[in-house]
């Protein structure tokens, strides 16, 4: 059985031809799957019953089941836990902003990057997610939230550039103008800094925004919390981001979680500003919630739990960057009470398998 969400429009057209259906049928299905977010053939009412029967015998559009949901007190942010067909668990976060909604999508079951602050990195990589499993996170979360989104961030469980082919297909399918017709400029991919992957992103998906989880201004510090630094040092990562900007003219963002007494001093701000000098970029300072913390992989969940910096320190850090002409913002903290970063709900499941770990 094939998942229709794993097929490009061209592949779906070929599949329909095998079923004796004309190309129009594929476009009609794409509009249902992505445009209307409908994944039940029975509800695709303008597709003839005979065609739906043929489809159901060879294909499906399912593959995720909602297992749990956790809403913030203000109801603006909801974290969903989904189970895959093979017993894995992944998380998706739907965030309602005044001006727009956003969905944070997981790209792998687990992650091999081993960031010390991250719940997802703790258990290693189990497997890559298929394009269909990424698409369904958006479709099902929109349905649950009763709202649509025009923004997607690939910042959930997993390192998207470690699953590039499937991530690329998900983005291409979702942004196809016969489907959702979502702008690629409304998609942001967050990476821990896999240099070859950043190069591929620039070449193959140039409109997609790049965010880099940096979190430290030098290799020594960064290695303590992000083992991937041994392979790609901060200078190489920033250089890759620079080339990405030169190729795409999309301004990269550097995520920087401020950890008290670790990376939040004036000397760190100076070093960070020097590292980023001359690059058109934005630094996104992340205030941590209480103890522990990190970025996309899961605040509070990792070993070596650390304490977040206070508001005053955060503001001084931002000012120090600004004085050196490095624009910086402090990330809006939505859903702090449910710990909106990914990995926590998954970690609570007893059956989460251990996987391959890079470091
Ligand atoms: S922070 Fe991101 S890259 Fe690092 S281990 Fe967690 S999911 Fe992987």
């Amino acid at each position: 059985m094939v998942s229709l969400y794993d097929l490009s429009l061209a592949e779906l057209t070929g599949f329909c031809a095998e079923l004796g259906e004309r190309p129009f049928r594929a476009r009609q299905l794409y509009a249902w799957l992505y445009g209307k977010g409908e994944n039940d053939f029975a509800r695709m009412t303008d597709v003839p019953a005979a065609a739906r029967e043929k489809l159901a015998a060879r294909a499906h559009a399912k593959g995720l089941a909602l297992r749990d949901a956790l809403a913030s007190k203000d109801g603006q942010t909801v974290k969903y836990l989904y189970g895959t067909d093979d017993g894995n668990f992944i998380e998706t976060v739907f965030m309602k902003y005044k001006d727009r909604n956003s969905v944070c999508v997981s790209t792998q079951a687990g992650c091999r990057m081993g960031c010390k602050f991250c719940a997802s990195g703790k258990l290693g990589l189990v497997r890559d997610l298929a394009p269909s499993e990424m698409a369904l996170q958006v479709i099902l979360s929109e349905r649950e939230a009763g709202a649509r989104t025009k923004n997607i961030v690939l910042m959930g469980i997993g390192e998207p550039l470690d699953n590039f082919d499937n991530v690329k297909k998900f983005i291409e399918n979702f942004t196809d103008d016969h489907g959702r017709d979502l702008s690629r400029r409304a998609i942001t991919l967050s990476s821990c800094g896999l240099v070859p992957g950043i190069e591929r992103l620039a070449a193959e998906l140039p409109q997609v925004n790049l965010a880099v989880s940096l979190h430290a201004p030098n290799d020594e510090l960064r290695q303590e919390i992000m083992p991937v630094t041994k392979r790609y040092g901060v200078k190489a990562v920033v250089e890759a981001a620079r080339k990405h900007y030169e190729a795409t003219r999309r301004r990269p963002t550097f995520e920087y979680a401020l950890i008290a007494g670790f990376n939040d001093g004036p000397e760190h701000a100076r070093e960070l500003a020097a590292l980023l000098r001359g690059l058109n970029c934005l630094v996104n300072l992340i205030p941590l919630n209480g103890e522990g913390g990190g970025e996309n992989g899961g605040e509070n969940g990792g070993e070596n739990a650390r304490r977040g910096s206070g508001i005053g320190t955060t503001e001084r850090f931002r000012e120090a960057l600004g004085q050196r002409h490095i624009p910086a913002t402090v990330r809006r903290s939505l859903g702090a009470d449910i710990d909106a970063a990914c990995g926590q709900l998954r970690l609570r499941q007893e059956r989460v398998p251990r996987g391959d770990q890079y470091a």
Side-chain angles (χ1 to χ4, degrees), residues 35-58:
K36 298 189 180 99
E38 182 54 71
N39 69 329
D40 185 344
F41 298 152
R43 286 201 281 264
M44 299 180 180
T45 45
D46 58 359
V47 178
R52 280 188 264 143
E53 268 174 39
K54 282 190 280 181
L55 272 174
R58 299 257 319 260

Side-chain angles (χ1 to χ4, degrees), residues 283-298:
V283 174
N284 198 8
L285 298 172
I286 303 167
L288 302 182
N289 308 315
E291 296 294 321
E295 208 261 315
N296 34 340

Side-chain angles (χ1 to χ4, degrees), residues 15-79:
F15 183 73
C16 284
E18 284 175 28
L19 300 179
E21 297 289 328
R22 293 189 304 177
F24 159 76
R25 187 70 67 218
R27 293 195 295 275
Q28 190 182 30
L29 287 169
Y30 237 59
W32 274 108
L33 292 167
Y34 293 99
K36 298 189 180 99
E38 182 54 71
N39 69 329
D40 185 344
F41 298 152
R43 286 201 281 264
M44 299 180 180
T45 45
D46 58 359
V47 178
R52 280 188 264 143
E53 268 174 39
K54 282 190 280 181
L55 272 174
R58 299 257 319 260
H60 65 88
K62 301 190 187 293
L64 289 187
L66 185 65
R67 298 287 183 218
D68 201 357
L70 196 57
S72 61
K73 284 195 190 104
D74 63 8
Q76 299 297 96
T77 305
V78 186
K79 183 190 282 190

Side-chain angles (χ1 to χ4, degrees), residues 108 110-115 117-122 156-159 191-192 213 226 295-298:
Q108 296 179 307
C111 182
R112 78 170 104 226
M113 298 300 145
C115 301
F117 47 78
C118 174
S120 309
K122 253 182 156 177
I157 296 170
E159 163 53 57
S191 171
C192 66
S213 299
M226 299 182 73
E295 208 261 315
N296 34 340

Side-chain angles (χ1 to χ4, degrees), residues 151-172:
N151 295 274
I152 294 175
V153 288
L154 300 165
M155 203 179 267
I157 296 170
E159 163 53 57
L161 296 180
D162 193 37
N163 183 19
F164 192 93
D165 291 337
N166 287 350
V167 165
K168 180 181 174 187
K169 192 163 197 185
F170 157 64
I171 291 173
E172 286 177 340

